Amino acid sequence: STNLISLIRRKITQLSDVLSGKLCKSLLISGLILYVIYILLSNHPCCYSTTMFNNLMRFRGDNQDDSPTNVSHLVFGITSSSKTWKDRISYVESWWRPNVTRGFVFLENYPKELLPWPSSCPPFKISENTSRYKMYDKHPIPQTIRMARVVAETFKMENKSARWYIMADDDTIFFLDNLVEVLSKYDHRKYYYVGMNSETHASNFVHSFNMAFGGGGYAFSYALVEAMVENLDICIKRYPTFYGGDHILQSCVADLGVSLTRQKGYHQMDLHGDISGFLSAHPQSPLVSLHHLDFIDPIFPLMNKSQSLNHLMKIAKLGDESRILQQSICYYKPKNWTFSISWGYSIQIYESIFPPSLITIPLQTFIPWSKLFKPWFVFNTRLPSNNPCEAPHLLFFESMQKMKNYLLTNYTRKYPRKLPPCSFSGNHSANHISEIYVLSPMKKLDSVGSRRECCDVVYKAETNVTEIKLRDCMQDEIIP
């Protein structure tokens, strides 16, 4: 019996050892699995540098879709005020697409006097209380912190299937199809801050040459916004004296290790006066935004500011946004004439042959927002001249018609040039040309890696109407 008891004890011990080993292994494996999950899904500092963690954190939700970007992927955060909204509503209504575009207008208090709120506008939201930042608020304007926080409050309310967050003022005007086209070039799953500086050295110097100006609008990719909102409080407290919310956000982005991606076509418009010279020589890039239309002359002659805006947006809605303000230059050599077309806006006729390298420089019909620093502008300009060989005849967009394979735009003269003909070119006056029709192909312009369109002039001496046909340039064709 003693031997039997000893045998039983040995068996029990062996069984216990086996079970203990399996249990330990199970516990060890379970522990490792739980630790890995903790590392991947938590904010533990040890995992900040791992690719897997960054990807998981970045793609929480449904923002990793590879389908083409469209307007539904854009979310707008528009900073406004109950005091200014009634005077700015027409700007937002000019580009907003009800039930299509996404976003909010942020006001500082409840707008009783503005109710009922129109369905033609984005819904309004009341900005969150910023009193907790009072000791950090040494900004020159009282709304700076509220403006800076719009991105975080927008992200909190709209993040499902969002790819880009666009910050803007209530007097920013967007060309939505062009905005989508521009942002489609960039991967929203990476860290992008897209916008443009001011047109003037003074504004850039006073604020920052590394900043996208808020009036022209700027875009943050989803990945960047997700990282930024986690650190926004730190940034607000770190920069208590900056003038605008756009400067705080630029600094916050820089502290995250991201620089501005400059994109031509965003326009802060820190200009005054007649900006027709600027709009008639737009860079070879889609027109994305305009700003400060309250502070410049009406952009079309014989119209007020509201009528001018509606006239420009009419061709944006009915025509082809990709062509708006895109410049084409062509020649009628029998008369020594140069034609500069800013599609959907203006045509300049020069009574001399000038190369595109000169005509693509804007005529300085405008003045800078501030004259503190020279040179005033961050681009070259041509000074207007009373020399009849250098001063252009001006015609402005009148109407548009869709044809089978073409868009037909019409431009008319609103006032005479009031100069004699250019005698150097053989006295070939263009004073009698009062109307020009432009035929453009019914296709979307691609400005990336493409040439400007070439064009052919059809002139009939017995009439005051001229026709111009836009076309692709032939291989190796140089102008003129």
Side-chain angles (χ1 to χ4, degrees):
S1 62
T2 303
N3 292 336
L4 179 60
I5 292 172
S6 298
L7 179 61
I8 292 171
R9 284 178 177 172
R10 283 198 303 271
K11 293 293 184 182
I12 291 173
T13 302
Q14 290 173 359
L15 180 60
S16 177
D17 290 341
V18 170
L19 291 174
S20 297
K22 288 184 177 179
L23 180 61
C24 288
K25 287 181 180 179
S26 298
L27 290 173
L28 179 61
I29 292 170
S30 300
L32 286 172
I33 291 172
L34 289 172
Y35 180 71
V36 170
I37 292 172
Y38 168 69
I39 290 296
L40 293 177
L41 299 182
S42 76
N43 289 326
H44 195 280
C46 72
C47 57
Y48 280 171
S49 62
T50 66
T51 303
M52 188 177 294
F53 168 79
N54 287 334
N55 288 338
L56 282 172
M57 287 299 290
R58 189 181 305 168
F59 302 143
R60 289 181 303 191
D62 53 352
N63 302 289
Q64 53 182 323
D65 187 0
D66 287 326
S67 63
T69 295
N70 61 57
V71 71
S72 71
H73 295 123
L74 278 51
V75 181
F76 293 86
I78 302 167
T79 302
S80 186
S81 163
S82 299
K83 297 177 182 177
T84 63
W85 177 249
K86 63 181 181 296
D87 298 321
R88 303 286 180 85
I89 183 174
S90 60
Y91 292 129
V92 177
E93 285 180 324
S94 71
W95 60 268
W96 186 260
R97 298 176 187 173
N99 302 317
V100 176
T101 35
R102 302 165 61 187
F104 307 97
V105 172
F106 287 86
L107 306 173
E108 78 283 20
N109 50 48
Y110 193 78
K112 283 184 180 179
E113 66 282 3
L114 300 175
L115 300 179
W117 192 261
S119 60
S120 56
C121 298
F124 72 86
K125 297 292 179 183
I126 309 304
S127 297
E128 294 177 3
N129 190 303
T130 60
S131 60
R132 65 184 184 277
Y133 302 106
K134 187 174 182 180
M135 65 180 295
Y136 303 99
D137 189 359
K138 301 174 184 177
H139 305 283
I141 56 176
Q143 303 293 326
T144 297
I145 293 177
R146 183 175 77 87
M147 293 161 61
R149 283 196 48 78
V150 164
V151 64
E153 294 174 30
T154 304
F155 181 76
K156 183 190 300 184
M157 290 181 285
E158 276 278 14
N159 51 59
K160 182 178 175 58
S161 74
R163 296 184 180 182
W164 294 94
Y165 288 84
I166 293 88
M167 302 295 107
D169 291 349
D170 53 8
D171 59 342
T172 307
I173 296 158
F174 285 110
F175 297 83
L176 288 177
D177 293 342
N178 286 344
L179 178 59
V180 170
E181 182 69 21
V182 162
L183 294 180
S184 295
K185 298 188 303 181
Y186 307 107
D187 188 345
H188 63 281
R189 296 165 294 190
K190 296 182 179 180
Y191 299 96
Y192 278 108
Y193 166 43
V194 182
M196 198 61 190
N197 305 126
S198 170
E199 295 80 8
T200 64
H201 281 294
S203 294
N204 290 321
F205 180 83
V206 169
H207 300 288
S208 174
F209 281 91
N210 298 317
M211 182 181 90
F213 277 66
Y218 49 89
F220 296 120
S221 63
Y222 182 91
L224 181 54
V225 171
E226 191 174 38
M228 186 163 51
V229 296
E230 293 295 325
N231 296 279
L232 192 55
D233 277 5
I234 296 173
C235 298
I236 289 173
K237 294 172 182 178
R238 183 176 288 174
Y239 303 106
T241 61
F242 284 171
Y243 182 85
D246 46 7
H247 198 179
I248 292 176
L249 294 180
Q250 177 271 322
S251 300
C252 194
V253 167
D255 292 347
L256 287 167
V258 179
S259 300
L260 172 64
T261 297
R262 290 176 175 81
Q263 174 64 54
K264 293 179 180 179
Y266 287 87
H267 296 296
Q268 169 72 8
M269 298 305 294
D270 282 341
L271 308 172
H272 284 302
D274 173 15
I275 65 166
S276 63
F278 182 84
L279 298 180
S280 296
H282 191 269
Q284 192 179 356
S285 185
L287 172 64
V288 174
S289 67
L290 294 172
H291 181 232
H292 278 158
L293 294 191
D294 276 348
F295 301 94
I296 58 177
D297 296 343
I299 59 176
F300 287 101
L302 308 181
M303 294 185 184
N304 61 33
K305 293 179 182 180
S306 176
Q307 291 169 336
S308 291
L309 173 60
N310 291 335
H311 194 51
L312 181 66
M313 299 310 290
K314 177 171 65 177
I315 195 167
K317 293 174 181 176
L318 302 178
D320 181 355
E321 272 195 17
S322 70
R323 292 185 173 276
I324 292 182
L325 301 192
Q326 296 308 295
Q327 190 178 17
S328 296
I329 300 165
C330 49
Y331 302 86
Y332 187 69
K333 291 185 178 179
K335 295 284 189 180
N336 285 331
W337 288 343
T338 300
F339 291 81
S340 174
I341 304 160
S342 175
W343 196 91
Y345 180 64
S346 71
I347 296 179
Q348 299 172 340
I349 310 174
Y350 296 86
E351 294 182 5
S352 299
I353 299 293
F354 292 114
S357 59
L358 178 70
I359 300 300
T360 53
I361 299 173
L363 274 173
Q364 191 183 310
T365 58
F366 43 85
I367 59 176
W369 192 266
S370 169
K371 296 183 179 181
L372 282 176
F373 301 101
K374 285 189 175 183
W376 292 335
F377 309 106
V378 298
F379 50 87
N380 297 111
T381 62
R382 292 181 287 143
L383 292 177
S385 170
N386 287 323
N387 183 331
C389 298
E390 297 176 355
H393 300 262
L394 298 176
L395 292 83
F396 288 90
F397 169 73
E398 183 71 27
S399 63
M400 187 201 71
Q401 179 182 348
K402 288 186 177 181
M403 304 176 70
K404 184 176 181 181
N405 297 314
Y406 292 93
L407 286 172
L408 179 67
T409 47
N410 170 239
Y411 304 78
T412 59
R413 187 191 293 266
K414 302 300 182 184
Y415 45 79
R417 187 176 67 150
K418 296 182 180 179
L419 288 174
C422 172
S423 57
F424 180 78
S425 65
N427 197 25
H428 296 306
S429 173
N431 282 336
H432 64 287
I433 299 178
S434 62
E435 192 170 12
I436 296 177
Y437 288 94
V438 176
L439 278 171
S440 51
M442 190 82 76
K443 67 173 186 178
K444 189 175 182 181
L445 278 186
D446 182 5
S447 61
V448 180
S450 300
R451 301 169 65 180
R452 297 180 190 272
E453 285 184 308
C454 292
C455 44
D456 300 313
V457 179
V458 180
Y459 171 68
K460 297 177 182 179
E462 66 276 9
T463 178
N464 61 353
V465 178
T466 298
E467 295 180 8
I468 296 176
K469 186 174 182 179
L470 301 181
R471 58 172 173 81
D472 292 335
C473 296
M474 294 179 285
Q475 187 173 359
D476 301 327
E477 179 178 1
I478 191 168
I479 309 168

